[in-house]
């Protein structure tokens, strides 16, 4: 007995054959249909399945060429407009931009990690979030304790160094895998995956630290009274005080930097506590602790004076190869921001546009 042939969909407008409905075929009919497409070839079951899946996809999207072209043009327009829009948003409304950016960075990766059951990342994220919650509490409470700014900057300096070290370790591990230094070990899929995860951890937590230290520094500067939300100082800055941390600069001993360079430890002024604290003078004449202004410019990637908002020359922070590599790491964080924050938001924006226009 002959079996029924494959179901054929007829185009009523033209009266011709439009497409074959491969979904209604049984296994024998699918094999016969694939054999008619590739006569004289012996195909395995997996090959037949892939061909049938491709035919189903083609049948589903047949006649949608105009719709696909419209979606592609909308995608190009969004990519062209989005960078300028984000730049304008960041310049005109920095506070809302920063909050949306930090919120997306803090919430999007844990959401996907939970959805995909990556509990190791979730555990690390929870521990990091708890520690930073306490730091944020110290930085935002009023009145501000005298030692709080220094503790906050020390914490974020530590997290930045750890994140940077993890990032470098991941790069080194990936290089070992790429060049297959140890055959049987570095050429395994698990080792390559571990190197990429390590790089991701170094970039992600470094990006979180950088954004959080920006929030804390702005809040502490406003609380100390040396800066306000509009960037203008609200009180006089004594020449013996670092306005970033509120600590004294340790005048009364020789060796302060007046030429715009970073002092060595043996040439730095000494605090009343007996500790050595290098200082750095900006071109505008304001002086800061070297560690404070370095964190402000390099970690926070700010190019203005914390007090008068005059442009800062970043050349002194690029003198050694280690400094240049750290600046490269900071630049990599910006690409990580797009990958984590703006890429998902861009996809959501495109999905919303396609839904409104009926472009499925």
């Amino acid at each position: 007995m002959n079996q029924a042939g494959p179901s054929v969909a007829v185009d009523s407008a033209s009266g011709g054959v439009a497409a074959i409905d491969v979904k209604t075929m049984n296994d024998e009919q699918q094999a016969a249909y694939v054999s008619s497409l590739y006569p004289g070839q012996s195909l395995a079951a997996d090959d037949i399945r892939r061909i049938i899946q491709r035919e189903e996809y083609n049948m589903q999207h047949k006649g949608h060429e105009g719709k696909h072209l419209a979606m592609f043009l909308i995608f190009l327009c969004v990519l062209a407009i989005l960078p300028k829009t984000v730049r304008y948003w960041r310049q005109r409304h920095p506070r809302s931009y920063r909050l949306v950016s930090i919120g997306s960075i803090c919430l999007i990766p844990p959401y996907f990690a939970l959805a995909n059951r990556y509990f190791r990342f979730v555990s690390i994220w929870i521990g990091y979030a708890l520690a930073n919650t306490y730091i944020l509490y110290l930085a935002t409470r009023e009145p501000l304790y005298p030692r709080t700014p220094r503790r906050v900057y020390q914490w974020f300096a530590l997290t930045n160094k750890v994140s940077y070290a993890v990032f470098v370790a991941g790069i080194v591990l990936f290089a070992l895998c790429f060049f297959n230094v140890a055959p049987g070990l570095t050429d395994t899929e698990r080792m390559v995956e571990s190197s990429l995860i390590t790089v991701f951890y170094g970039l992600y937590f470094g990006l979180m630290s950088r954004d959080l230290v920006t929030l804390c520094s702005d809040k502490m500067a406003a609380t100390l009274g040396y800066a306000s939300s509009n960037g203008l100082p609200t009180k006089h800055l004594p020449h013996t005080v670092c306005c970033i941390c509120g600590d004294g600069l340790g005048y009364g001993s020789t060796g302060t930097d007046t030429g715009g360079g970073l002092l060595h430890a043996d040439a730095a002024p000494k605090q009343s506590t007996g500790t050595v604290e290098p200082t750095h003078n900006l071109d505008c004449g304001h002086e800061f602790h070297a560690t404070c202004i370095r964190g402000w410019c390099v970690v926070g990637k700010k190019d203005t004076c914390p007090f008068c908002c005059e442009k800062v020359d970043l050349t002194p922070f690029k003198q050694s190869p280690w400094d240049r590599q750290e600046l490269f790491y900071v630049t990599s964080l910006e690409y990580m921001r797009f990958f984590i924050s703006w890429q998902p938001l861009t996809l959501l924006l495109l999905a919303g546009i396609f839904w409104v226009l009926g472009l499925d």
Side-chain angles (χ1 to χ4, degrees):
M1 179 181 293
N2 294 331
Q3 295 186 0
S7 175
V8 178
V10 179
D11 188 349
S12 59
S14 61
V17 177
I20 296 178
D21 189 3
V22 295
K23 293 182 179 180
T24 61
M25 297 180 184
N26 56 33
D27 293 341
E28 294 181 1
Q29 291 174 341
Q30 290 179 353
Y33 174 68
V34 172
S35 298
S36 66
L37 295 177
Y38 300 90
Q41 298 185 22
S42 178
L43 299 174
D46 291 340
D47 297 330
I48 294 175
R49 188 186 73 255
R50 283 194 293 268
I51 293 173
I52 292 297
Q53 290 176 349
R54 186 187 64 191
E55 291 299 317
E56 291 179 354
Y57 178 84
N58 292 336
M59 182 180 65
Q60 180 182 359
H61 293 273
K62 185 177 180 60
H64 295 175
E65 289 80 6
K67 183 181 294 187
H68 293 167
L69 178 60
M71 296 173 70
F72 178 70
L73 293 177
I74 292 174
F75 175 72
L76 291 181
C77 291
V78 170
L79 288 184
I81 296 174
L82 187 64
K84 296 182 179 179
T85 304
V86 171
R87 192 179 304 113
Y88 176 84
W89 182 16
R90 181 175 55 189
Q91 293 175 352
R92 297 294 182 177
H93 306 281
R95 182 175 178 82
S96 61
Y97 167 84
R98 190 181 304 145
L99 291 177
V100 172
S101 178
I102 293 178
S104 58
I105 290 171
C106 293
L107 298 179
I108 290 178
Y111 170 77
F112 284 105
L114 279 174
N116 293 278
R117 305 176 68 85
Y118 295 148
F119 297 121
R120 178 177 56 187
F121 173 81
V122 175
S123 301
I124 297 175
W125 184 90
I126 291 175
Y128 182 82
L130 291 175
N132 280 282
T133 300
Y134 176 69
I135 296 298
L136 287 172
Y137 166 74
L138 292 179
T140 55
R141 66 180 305 180
E142 296 181 10
L144 197 66
Y145 285 117
R147 300 302 299 174
T148 293
R150 182 56 57 90
R151 291 174 182 174
V152 171
Y153 285 111
Q154 287 176 345
W155 164 255
F156 284 111
L158 174 63
T159 57
N160 181 72
K161 291 179 180 178
V162 172
S163 300
Y164 182 44
V166 171
F167 169 75
V168 172
I171 292 295
V172 172
L173 186 59
F174 181 79
L176 295 177
C177 296
F178 182 81
F179 293 104
N180 195 16
V181 176
L185 176 63
T186 57
D187 57 350
T188 60
E189 181 179 352
R190 183 175 182 180
M191 186 63 68
V192 175
E193 180 182 358
S194 299
S195 66
L196 295 177
I197 291 177
T198 304
V199 171
F200 171 79
Y201 280 1
L203 289 174
Y204 174 71
F205 290 105
L207 181 59
M208 284 188 63
S209 296
R210 179 185 166 189
D211 284 356
L212 291 175
V213 73
T214 302
L215 283 179
C216 291
S217 61
D218 291 346
K219 176 60 178 177
M220 289 188 300
T223 303
L224 289 171
Y226 296 116
S228 60
S229 58
N230 57 12
L232 298 176
T234 57
K235 70 178 184 180
H236 172 69
L237 175 66
H239 71 281
T240 58
V241 174
C242 171
C243 80
I244 298 180
C245 66
D247 250 354
L249 293 173
Y251 280 99
S253 61
T254 59
T256 57
D257 180 14
T258 58
L262 293 176
L263 286 179
H264 296 289
D266 56 355
K270 295 185 178 181
Q271 300 277 7
S272 59
T273 57
T275 59
V276 176
E277 190 71 20
T279 61
H280 177 68
N281 262 34
L282 299 181
D283 295 336
C284 59
H286 296 121
E287 187 175 7
F288 308 91
H289 295 126
T291 53
C292 293
I293 193 62
R294 181 181 179 82
W296 178 271
C297 295
V298 177
V299 179
K301 204 176 181 182
K302 293 178 179 291
D303 59 351
T304 58
C305 172
F307 183 73
C308 66
C309 296
E310 184 176 324
K311 284 289 184 178
V312 172
D313 181 16
L314 297 179
T315 304
F317 303 106
K318 304 178 184 179
Q319 294 177 350
S320 69
W322 181 263
D323 293 334
R324 289 193 291 269
Q325 293 300 323
E326 190 172 355
L327 289 172
F328 166 75
Y329 170 68
V330 171
T331 304
S332 302
L333 296 181
E334 284 302 309
Y335 292 99
M336 192 66 176
R337 182 191 304 280
F338 171 78
F339 178 74
I340 293 179
S341 178
W342 301 119
Q343 186 183 34
L345 295 179
T346 302
L347 295 178
L348 287 176
L349 176 62
L350 286 172
I353 295 175
F354 293 157
W355 179 78
V356 170
L357 298 179
L359 301 175
D360 297 331

